[in-house]
Amino acid sequence: MPMMEYSQVSGVEGPNRLPDQVVKNRLKEPAATAIARAEDEEFAIAVEGNKMVVRKSSALQRGKIDTFDKTVPSDASRGSEHDDSFTHPPSNLVGQEMARLLSAAFSPHTHRAYASGWSAFCRFRKNIRTNLPASVAETREFIAWLSLQGLAHATITTYVSGVGYYHKIRGWPDPTKDFIVSKLMHGCRRDRNRVDERLPMSLPLLAQIIEAFTHVCSSHYEATLFKAAVTCAFFGFMRLGEFAAISKTKLQESLLHISDIEFCDLASTQQSVVISFPYSKNNKTGAPQRVKLVTTQNSALCPVMALQGYISIRPSGHGPLFCHFDGSPLTAYQFNAVLKKALTFCGKGDLHYRPHSFRIGAATTAYELGVPSTDIQQMGRWRSDAVLTYIRPMPVVTIPPI
């Protein structure tokens, strides 16, 4: 998987895996800029005040790939195929190992989602007197029941997958593998009456929200924490689960830790920070995906400067990247609550802005700047054309000067 980079200036030095040269067409004016490098092209998204421009650099020249000799062990070093010294472990250990491997096959998020789906299915079957396994007819009715509850297609899909998983793991016939079930799911996906109302975050509104944090947060530390979180969320195309914990006691694998960031070029005027995503929704077993942000001076929206300011007052020690002064992690509930307060302070509390609005806004902003959807897909670490659902009309709102 190629390393992805996002920068705050139009010129950025290549990492170890890329040749050491500077991208052409450097922006002359100070600006808050996001750069994404994928394969052989580089894109610069520049923000100069409220004016946004996009530039695409020439292809990068690849360096030569080093080759390494690998010595194959001899047959003698491998050991005999019929080694009598091998003993079969106790059956209880074998069972425990099977359970561990099955658990490792899915992310904790997937396990929770499937558990929620199965719980919903059990509630649906509360008044059904037939025993499990469930019938195909019950599964069809379950889909209709979920649709009547107003659930989105993605949630219904996850719940139905959970029903199928809980059947297959018990050796039961999978009631979700049915022609009518598949058509019902297809109908949920194509249903135009159910629209995702979450609005994309715009750069002007992002600036106003950052200013609002100084009024709605309980301390300077909290305001600095949330400023760093929202700027990184926007310019890094981040998902909520990547920067906010499920709860104070539940830290998901996708959550960024302080050890996942590294500041570089500290002696340069273009200081940078590399953020490594060791685990994400679409990268469960591959190499960590990396994001590089490079600072621009005098930019109120610069995520590197915001992150530097936050790290300078963050409690020392390991743990989640974004945490409170007492060391407890920033949770999704807390982020939602403070974001809502800031939006209300800005007079936008009645609009459909949510934590995912930062990721949606990043994709929409890039599209409005002329970046092709295929490149936005790489910038946001999407693996499918689901990125197209993130590109939405940017609402026209009046933002007073800050």
Side-chain angles (χ1 to χ4, degrees):
M1 180 179 294
M3 191 187 85
M4 304 294 295
E5 287 194 4
Y6 307 90
S7 173
Q8 286 306 107
V9 294
S10 59
V12 116
E13 294 185 356
N16 294 333
R17 293 176 57 186
L18 296 175
D20 185 18
Q21 56 178 274
V22 180
V23 179
K24 297 180 181 180
N25 301 327
R26 184 187 302 271
L27 295 178
K28 302 300 182 181
E29 301 82 11
T33 309
I35 285 184
R37 176 182 295 141
E39 299 297 342
D40 59 349
E41 293 181 323
E42 200 166 70
F43 301 92
I45 301 175
V47 181
E48 302 170 4
N50 287 334
K51 180 181 179 181
M52 295 175 287
V53 296
V54 63
R55 297 175 183 174
K56 186 174 181 179
S57 73
S58 59
L60 299 173
Q61 296 296 323
R62 288 287 183 183
K64 293 183 179 180
I65 300 176
D66 294 330
T67 58
F68 300 88
D69 292 330
K70 182 177 181 181
T71 303
V72 180
S74 63
D75 290 340
S77 65
R78 293 176 182 171
S80 172
E81 293 181 2
H82 305 286
D83 190 349
D84 294 336
S85 64
F86 178 81
T87 58
H88 197 284
S91 58
N92 63 321
L93 294 181
V94 173
Q96 292 174 7
E97 181 65 6
M98 288 177 59
R100 187 188 69 82
L101 293 174
L102 283 172
S103 178
F106 298 98
S107 69
H109 174 79
T110 301
H111 280 292
R112 289 191 299 271
Y114 282 2
S116 297
W118 183 249
S119 176
F121 187 65
C122 291
R123 291 196 303 272
F124 165 74
R125 296 187 77 257
K126 188 174 182 180
N127 297 323
I128 299 178
R129 298 185 179 278
T130 58
N131 296 323
L132 292 171
S135 67
V136 170
E138 291 172 6
T139 306
R140 297 170 182 172
E141 294 172 357
F142 177 59
I143 296 172
W145 181 74
L146 292 175
S147 181
L148 290 173
Q149 304 298 313
L151 272 65
H153 165 257
T155 304
I156 296 177
T157 299
T158 301
Y159 281 13
V160 173
S161 297
V163 171
Y165 171 76
Y166 272 81
H167 276 73
K168 289 182 288 188
I169 204 69
R170 290 166 171 78
W172 297 338
D174 185 355
T176 66
K177 301 302 181 183
D178 170 69
F179 175 78
I180 295 181
V181 166
S182 65
K183 290 304 176 183
L184 288 171
M185 296 303 302
H186 188 64
C188 290
R189 181 173 64 85
R190 292 175 57 87
D191 187 1
R192 302 296 183 182
N193 294 327
R194 188 170 289 107
V195 180
D196 185 352
E197 297 181 336
R198 292 176 297 185
L199 296 176
M201 179 63 60
S202 66
L203 286 168
L205 183 55
L206 176 62
Q208 194 178 18
I209 287 174
I210 291 173
E211 174 66 19
F213 286 149
T214 61
H215 300 278
V216 301
C217 291
S218 59
S219 66
H220 170 71
Y221 180 90
E222 290 291 300
T224 304
L225 162 65
F226 280 95
K227 177 181 178 180
V230 297
T231 52
C232 287
F234 184 92
F235 287 102
F237 288 73
M238 290 187 185
R239 302 174 177 91
L240 178 62
E242 293 172 339
F243 64 90
I246 296 173
S247 69
K248 291 183 178 180
T249 57
K250 292 184 178 180
L251 307 181
Q252 65 274 23
E253 292 182 353
S254 60
L255 184 65
L256 288 171
H257 282 61
I258 187 66
S259 57
D260 294 322
I261 69 168
E262 179 183 1
F263 286 98
C264 310
D265 309 316
L266 296 181
S268 171
T269 57
Q270 294 180 352
Q271 299 178 14
S272 61
V273 60
V274 175
I275 305 176
S276 297
F277 294 86
Y279 184 97
S280 66
K281 179 180 179 181
N282 295 324
N283 182 38
K284 300 177 181 178
T285 59
Q289 296 172 312
R290 304 177 69 195
V291 170
K292 185 175 183 180
L293 303 175
V294 181
T295 190
T296 296
Q297 298 297 327
N298 302 322
S299 174
L301 296 177
C302 177
V304 180
M305 296 177 65
L307 195 57
Q308 285 178 324
Y310 161 67
I311 294 297
S312 67
I313 60 176
R314 179 189 180 276
S316 60
H318 303 290
L321 172 59
F322 296 110
C323 66
H324 300 286
F325 193 72
D326 62 359
S328 61
L330 171 66
T331 67
Y333 174 82
Q334 293 166 347
F335 184 82
N336 270 293
V338 174
L339 176 62
K340 186 175 181 179
K341 288 181 179 179
L343 287 166
T344 301
F345 184 87
C346 297
K348 306 294 185 294
D350 57 337
L351 300 180
H352 295 278
Y353 288 103
R354 302 292 184 269
H356 219 54
S357 293
F358 297 97
R359 184 167 166 82
I360 298 171
T364 300
T365 300
Y367 182 78
E368 289 186 346
L369 297 177
V371 180
S373 59
T374 53
D375 296 320
I376 299 174
Q377 179 177 333
Q378 292 179 321
M379 294 167 66
R381 308 182 303 282
W382 283 281
R383 278 193 172 182
S384 69
D385 59 1
V387 62
L388 299 178
T389 65
Y390 283 73
I391 299 172
R392 309 174 185 183
M394 188 72 74
V396 179
V397 293
T398 302
I399 305 297
I402 296 177

